[in-house]
Amino acid sequence: MTETQKRPLPVRIRRSTDGIPMHDLFRSAPARPARTAPTSATPAAGTATAVALPRRPPPAEPDLTERPGPAVPGWVAVLTGLTALGGAAAALWRARPLGTAELPPWQWAALAGCAVVAVVAFGGLTRGRTGSAWVLSLFGRYRGSVRRTGLVWISPFVLRRRIDVRLRHWRSEPIAVVDAEGSALRVVVLVVWSVRDTARALLAVDDHLGYLREQVEAATARVLSQLPADAFRGDAPTLRDAEAVGDALTRMLAAECRPVGVAVFSAQPTRIEYAPEVAAAMRRRQIAVLDAKHRDSVLTGVIDAVDDTVTRLTTRGLVELDDFERQALVKDLTVAFYTRSGGPADPNQE
């Protein structure tokens, strides 16, 4: 054997993450595809995203939309009814010499027709109130909505149901949710809403007010789980930003309630507090963080004051200090300034 053959061949080991692992060499399945650079749609490994995935709101029935219902002003119905009664009275007055029993059949038909017209005219009269509407249906089919006010006539053969269309507000009971860190919270939400589409609000859902309450609870739990209640480390966004939390909650709730004809104008959390079982621990944690921030700010101010004092003394030639004397002077000044500012006598006690 030659010298080249006796020398062992070098073995190179590739430490690349793009290679095929050893356990994949014995699989019959095809190799996994090569990894691509992370984009906004595919976040890099090890990074957690707190943005909720978009979710479609429930679909709305396209054929069920509010439209004007059949109605006429009330004075027209009153005039029609009085005319019918006047015609019947005139017919009876003319037939008085002959006696009512000897009226021809066509006169009896005319009297019956006048009576029916009067009953229909006066029976369909109703009062339209400001801030409410009538939803009309006939044999289970939607026939329209009437938003007129005052005296109005609606056919007595249709089913009429009144619905409130005024601007309303609703304050929820304390809702149990958790924040991004898993801490239990109690949240009270104030919702300002109104019925925009009377047909969908009354016919697309069994109870639009109950639907709104359930959606408020679901949307609140989803929005408040994206951020922590308090930032104990750094200045990260928290749930204490009531305006941002309210805007997100309003957008989500408006999208969920639009298919049932309910318009949500505002959904604001009026109170966000920790649950009773964790309130004491979180309060102690908040106090500790505030105390640490206070100590840090005080110590920073003391260090700046000591540095300024030593610099002035040395630059003006008032004292000449070696390294040992400088360290002793800095220590004494630090203790003196820190004690005067309200800190402990020894800064090392922190």
Side-chain angles (χ1 to χ4, degrees):
M1 299 179 64
T2 63
E3 183 179 356
T4 306
Q5 294 176 348
K6 293 181 181 180
R7 184 182 303 171
L9 297 177
V11 179
R12 295 182 179 180
I13 301 176
R14 296 182 61 188
R15 300 181 181 274
S16 175
T17 58
D18 293 335
I20 303 177
M22 293 300 297
H23 60 273
D24 284 345
L25 296 176
F26 302 97
R27 293 184 178 179
S28 58
R32 58 185 177 182
R35 294 181 298 177
T36 58
T39 60
S40 59
T42 58
T47 59
T49 57
V51 180
L53 296 177
R55 186 175 61 87
R56 291 184 178 181
E61 188 175 350
D63 297 334
L64 187 60
T65 55
E66 181 180 338
R67 60 179 183 271
V72 296
W75 64 268
V76 176
V78 172
L79 183 60
T80 302
L82 293 177
T83 302
L85 291 179
L92 290 176
W93 184 77
R94 282 187 175 185
R96 184 179 54 178
L98 301 177
T100 56
E102 299 179 0
L103 290 178
W106 65 270
Q107 289 188 357
W108 284 109
L111 290 175
C114 291
V116 170
V117 171
V119 170
V120 172
F122 291 112
L125 289 176
T126 185
R127 182 180 61 177
R129 299 177 182 175
T130 303
S132 64
W134 290 104
V135 178
L136 312 180
S137 60
L138 181 62
F139 301 114
R141 185 178 180 182
Y142 174 65
R143 302 301 297 174
S145 300
V146 179
R147 290 179 177 258
R148 291 175 177 266
T149 58
L151 190 62
V152 64
W153 180 87
I154 301 174
S155 174
F157 302 105
V158 298
L159 178 62
R160 294 176 288 183
R161 284 182 284 182
R162 190 186 294 272
I163 184 172
D164 194 347
V165 296
R166 294 174 296 180
L167 187 66
R168 304 170 65 183
H169 69 279
W170 174 71
R171 183 185 298 271
S172 70
E173 297 294 331
I175 302 174
V177 298
V178 294
D179 64 354
E181 296 181 351
S183 301
L185 304 176
R186 294 293 184 270
V187 185
V188 177
V189 182
L190 178 65
V191 183
V192 180
W193 63 282
S194 68
V195 174
R196 181 65 58 85
D197 193 312
T198 57
R200 291 181 178 178
L202 198 58
L203 302 177
V205 67
D206 184 26
D207 181 13
H208 63 277
L209 183 56
Y211 180 88
L212 175 65
R213 292 174 178 174
E214 297 295 335
Q215 291 299 328
V216 167
E217 184 175 355
T220 302
R222 190 178 180 206
V223 170
L224 269 67
S225 64
Q226 306 302 319
L227 294 174
D230 293 291
F232 297 104
R233 300 175 182 176
D235 296 331
T238 65
L239 298 178
R240 301 305 176 184
D241 189 356
E243 184 176 357
V245 175
D247 291 342
L249 185 59
T250 301
R251 289 194 301 269
M252 182 176 296
L253 195 59
E256 295 291 338
C257 295
R258 191 177 297 112
V260 298
V262 175
V264 177
F265 301 101
S266 173
Q268 296 291 332
T270 60
R271 188 176 65 197
I272 300 178
E273 58 185 14
Y274 289 102
E277 58 270 17
V278 299
M282 290 301 175
R283 190 177 298 109
R284 290 193 298 268
R285 188 176 179 184
Q286 289 176 348
I287 293 175
V289 171
L290 293 176
D291 184 66
K293 289 183 179 180
H294 174 69
R295 288 171 178 266
D296 183 67
S297 62
V298 170
L299 185 59
T300 302
V302 168
I303 292 175
D304 293 340
V306 170
D307 181 54
D308 183 66
T309 302
V310 174
T311 303
R312 289 185 178 184
L313 290 175
T314 55
T315 55
R316 295 182 180 181
L318 299 178
V319 292
E320 294 182 0
L321 304 173
D322 55 11
D323 294 340
F324 178 78
E325 293 175 344
R326 180 185 292 272
Q327 292 178 3
L329 178 61
V330 168
K331 181 178 180 181
D332 294 339
L333 290 176
T334 302
V335 172
F337 289 167
Y338 198 73
T339 305
R340 183 178 179 182
S341 62
D346 188 3
N348 297 326
Q349 292 181 3
E350 296 184 13

